[in-house]
Amino acid sequence: MKTFLMKGDKVTKIYQKSRKFLNILSEQNIEFMVDLESFDFQSLNEFGFSQEDIDAFKQKYESYNAERKI
């Protein structure tokens, strides 16, 4: 519970439908939503993601923060 309050949900819970994105986050040791604060979503171009996909990931992150971040 303490970890959840400090770091938020795990990225695997929020982005569960995008295994490729989760693998990239795992390689960069990003486990919790708070870890995405310094993540450069535009770097996903290098991995073959379209701009629409990148915008969707970013939007999901921003809406998560708007709803749940204290």
Side-chain angles (χ1 to χ4, degrees):
M1 184 64 148
K2 186 177 179 180
T3 303
F4 173 76
L5 291 174
M6 298 289 291
K7 296 188 173 194
D9 287 307
K10 288 191 170 198
V11 293
T12 53
K13 179 180 176 186
I14 305 302
Y15 293 106
Q16 61 188 334
K17 294 184 180 180
S18 181
R19 173 169 249 151
K20 184 177 176 182
F21 181 51
L22 288 173
N23 288 337
I24 292 166
L25 295 178
S26 177
E27 289 171 5
Q28 296 184 18
N29 296 320
I30 296 175
E31 186 176 356
F32 295 96
M33 290 300 287
V34 73
D35 299 331
L36 285 174
E37 286 180 5
S38 61
F39 183 74
D40 178 21
F41 285 91
Q42 292 305 315
S43 68
L44 294 172
N45 281 328
E46 300 171 17
F47 298 98
F49 286 99
S50 70
Q51 190 60 44
E52 289 178 357
D53 292 335
I54 294 169
D55 291 342
F57 294 142
K58 197 172 190 179
Q59 177 61 36
K60 188 174 269 195
Y61 171 71
E62 290 169 354
S63 63
Y64 173 85
N65 279 342
E67 292 174 12
R68 300 196 178 140
K69 199 169 183 181
I70 298 172

